[in-house]
Amino acid sequence: MPGHYIDVPVSGTAVTDSLRKVFILRPGDSAQDISIEARAGSVTDITLVILPGVSADLTVNVDFTGEGASLRLAGLYVCGSSEKVSVRTVVRHRVPFCTSDQIFTGIAGGTSRVSFNGTIIVAPGAQKTEAYQQSRNILLSRDAKVSTEPQLEIYADDVKCSHGATAGSLSEDELFYMRSRGIPESEAKVLQLISFLSPVLASLPDPDAVASELEAAIRSIVQR
Amino acid sequence: MSRELLKISGLHAAVEGKEILHGIDLEIKPGEIHAVMGPNGAGKSTLSAVLAGKPQYTVTEGSIEFLGRDLLAMSPEQRSWAGIFLSFQYPIEIPGVSITSFMKTAINSKRAAEGLEPLKGADFLKLMREKMAFVKMKPEFAKREVNVGFSGGEKKRNEIFQMAMLDPVLSILDETDSGLDVDALKIVAEGVNALRSPSKSAIIITHYQKLLDYVEPDVVHVLKAGKIVRTGGREIVDIIETQGFDSF
């Protein structure tokens, strides 16, 4: 799907104004580390989509080197068989007045292994930093494993930082609500998983195109 | 002469290993509106959950027949297709799913179960618009995520909207009146009254008489500690209003 998989390497990219990129990894694609220097006043928006059938091990490095810069880093992964997905993010706030917001959502089924390791470093003097990180996961099978590891190293005192990590299963109440409206159980599961991924899906430039590809992938996992 | 739409016989039901309903008998004929009233913890929500087939609830004894079929053998979605609708006391939020796409999935699932083609886009939107106007829901709600950021009244209105869309044979309103102001209450009542027909029935489950000021029930039951302790007419509502549930 042209326009969705962006294969321009951004490693070592220095962002001076704004950068918006979506990386979609499909089976056969190889993952590349991403490394970004966010300069003063820049706006960076990166979304990572890892589709079923992809095993990947990658690191996203972002260094804030100029004041007043912002970063949104979103990721989603859907694993349905025996994938191994490992994502590390390292966000370094070296200077004051920068904002970073990370959200990663994942679905792990089959015997897949998913790990997310998110490090936020706020350097001494990087006051007024705002750094947020969320990692939310749904486990679809007993044999799948998710490990999520936030790491905050904060050396400044006037900052706002938070992180949250969840790993749960499908909500029975939500499924029952949908089924009581006549939506069959398997379709209700698909809908709930799409709903779960929606905070990241919403940040895609053309959510519908990727959403329908994801929906088909999720449907085949649920019906397996 | 008309045979029962719903026939509950000797129903015992439990949740998390604890029995809540201790032998319920209840018969509803086509066209009737029944009110089930009772204090907190009487088993009102358990009754509605069992009727709609909530998986966490187990029926340990008894039977339920709906239009002559064994309701307990049916999944929640099959019950919906057969014409049962439950208006939730606490409607669930579904982020990222619009009311339009939620209802389209619901309607077309039912059609698929009946061997029908999906509704055409234009026909579906016409139906949506008609039913939204019917419950006085603003058109922009069609694009809103299901129940996300809705006020209590908006959530209940959305339940009545879904009820109107799905056009059920038996509507079960579980505490639909709780937390509603008078205006929202009237809209719910109008919805229920407008869907009244000789072939359709409703169960209004409530703690208060509020909704019953606007919807006239044919039969009133008092549910207490998992049993129906009194069945009668409108006069029971008045007794509850003046004396509470202690007199039963």
Side-chain angles (χ1 to χ4, degrees):
Chain A
M1 225 171 286
H4 292 294
Y5 177 56
I6 295 158
D7 56 359
V8 182
V10 292
S11 274
T13 299
V15 184
T16 50
D17 181 14
S18 75
L19 173 76
R20 188 166 193 208
K21 279 200 184 295
V22 178
F23 296 87
I24 299 181
L25 290 177
R26 297 191 171 83
D29 292 339
S30 61
Q32 283 181 0
D33 289 349
I34 297 167
S35 190
I36 280 164
E37 181 195 345
R39 294 193 176 159
S42 63
V43 178
T44 307
D45 185 344
I46 292 190
T47 306
L48 198 65
V49 177
I50 302 178
L51 290 170
V54 176
S55 284
D57 183 349
L58 69 119
T59 303
V60 182
N61 275 295
V62 178
D63 274 18
F64 285 99
T65 59
E67 293 184 6
S70 76
L71 164 76
R72 179 177 152 91
L73 183 54
L76 70 82
Y77 22 82
V78 178
C79 303
S81 47
S82 57
E83 299 91 335
K84 287 186 174 57
V85 167
S86 169
V87 176
R88 270 176 309 282
T89 66
V90 183
V91 175
R92 289 186 184 81
H93 285 264
R94 300 184 186 279
V95 292
F97 300 107
C98 293
T99 303
S100 64
D101 190 7
Q102 299 179 63
I103 175 160
F104 283 82
T105 58
I107 294 168
T111 57
S112 60
R113 299 282 179 271
V114 166
S115 80
F116 172 77
N117 182 310
T119 302
I120 297 172
I121 301 164
V122 181
Q127 305 296 9
K128 305 288 180 190
T129 288
E130 288 188 34
Y132 308 106
Q133 183 193 92
Q134 266 190 74
S135 163
R136 302 164 65 223
N137 300 278
I138 282 187
L139 283 156
L140 289 182
S141 80
R142 279 160 204 258
D143 298 324
K145 282 201 168 57
V146 166
S147 82
T148 169
E149 211 178 318
Q151 236 172 293
L152 269 60
E153 299 173 26
I154 300 169
Y155 304 104
D157 54 7
D158 188 9
V159 300
K160 284 185 195 162
C161 295
S162 73
H163 67 84
T166 59
S169 40
L170 289 164
S171 153
E172 291 292 339
D173 286 345
E174 207 172 302
L175 288 178
F176 175 58
Y177 187 66
M178 296 181 187
R179 295 176 75 189
S180 77
R181 269 56 178 149
I183 299 173
E185 187 175 13
S186 65
E187 203 51 37
K189 286 180 180 172
V190 172
L191 209 54
Q192 190 182 142
L193 292 169
I194 294 281
S195 164
F196 177 75
L197 298 174
S198 65
V200 176
L201 283 179
S203 67
L204 295 172
D206 182 2
D208 288 346
V210 184
S212 53
E213 192 178 352
L214 265 168
E215 197 176 309
I218 289 171
R219 186 165 289 119
S220 79
I221 291 171
V222 165
Q223 287 166 354
R224 211 166 270 169
Chain B
M1 57 148 272
S2 54
R3 66 189 256 264
E4 296 84 16
L5 185 81
L6 183 78
K7 186 173 183 200
I8 304 177
S9 313
L11 182 74
H12 290 248
V15 64
E16 288 167 359
K18 189 175 177 245
E19 189 172 286
I20 309 286
L21 299 180
H22 309 296
I24 302 275
D25 295 288
L26 184 66
E27 291 181 8
I28 298 180
K29 291 190 171 66
E32 287 180 346
I33 293 190
H34 286 230
V36 175
M37 302 184 73
N40 285 331
K44 302 193 298 295
S45 287
T46 298
L47 179 61
S48 63
V50 168
L51 286 170
K54 191 166 185 181
Q56 292 90 332
Y57 289 76
T58 329
V59 170
T60 49
E61 226 183 297
S63 65
I64 307 179
E65 262 181 47
F66 176 65
L67 293 168
R69 295 167 69 185
D70 175 8
L71 190 73
L72 297 175
M74 294 156 76
S75 69
E77 52 271 39
Q78 286 170 332
R79 296 181 198 205
S80 169
W81 302 334
I84 286 190
F85 180 86
L86 171 62
S87 168
F88 278 51
Q89 183 177 5
Y90 302 108
I92 307 287
E93 298 182 6
I94 314 175
V97 177
S98 70
I99 289 184
T100 302
S101 94
F102 183 57
M103 285 321 294
K104 197 183 267 180
T105 307
I107 296 262
N108 286 334
S109 297
K110 183 183 182 187
R111 292 179 64 91
E114 291 168 347
L116 298 171
E117 293 288 307
L119 209 56
K120 284 199 185 79
D123 293 340
F124 175 77
L125 290 176
K126 187 169 168 266
L127 184 68
M128 279 269 297
R129 269 198 296 272
E130 194 183 300
K131 302 302 181 189
M132 288 181 88
F134 170 64
V135 298
K136 299 189 172 67
M137 209 160 153
K138 289 187 191 120
E140 55 264 34
F141 271 81
K143 286 184 183 163
R144 294 273 301 267
E145 300 166 281
V146 179
N147 293 323
V148 177
F150 286 24
S151 70
E154 287 166 345
K155 283 183 181 171
K156 296 298 172 77
R157 191 177 304 198
N158 186 23
E159 295 293 286
I160 301 302
F161 160 70
Q162 293 177 36
M163 182 173 100
M165 286 292 285
L166 294 169
D167 193 23
V169 179
L170 176 67
S171 305
I172 305 157
L173 286 83
D174 185 10
E175 308 263 3
T176 302
D177 48 357
S178 66
L180 291 191
D181 59 28
V182 176
D183 290 337
L185 199 62
K186 280 183 182 163
I187 285 164
V188 169
E190 275 170 30
V192 177
N193 287 327
L195 295 174
R196 262 189 127 142
S197 88
S199 60
K200 294 182 175 175
S201 306
I203 303 176
I204 296 175
I205 293 177
T206 185
H207 190 132
Y208 312 99
Q209 85 291 344
K210 278 198 303 188
L211 184 57
L212 303 174
D213 290 343
Y214 303 98
V215 180
E216 194 59 39
D218 298 298
V219 184
V220 179
H221 308 273
V222 179
L223 182 66
K224 231 177 138 175
K227 282 188 168 170
I228 288 176
V229 294
R230 178 80 77 89
T231 293
R234 169 87 216 181
E235 73 283 355
I236 292 184
V237 179
D238 302 324
I239 300 174
I240 292 169
E241 195 170 347
T242 52
Q243 301 169 31
F245 290 105
D246 290 343
S247 53
F248 298 98

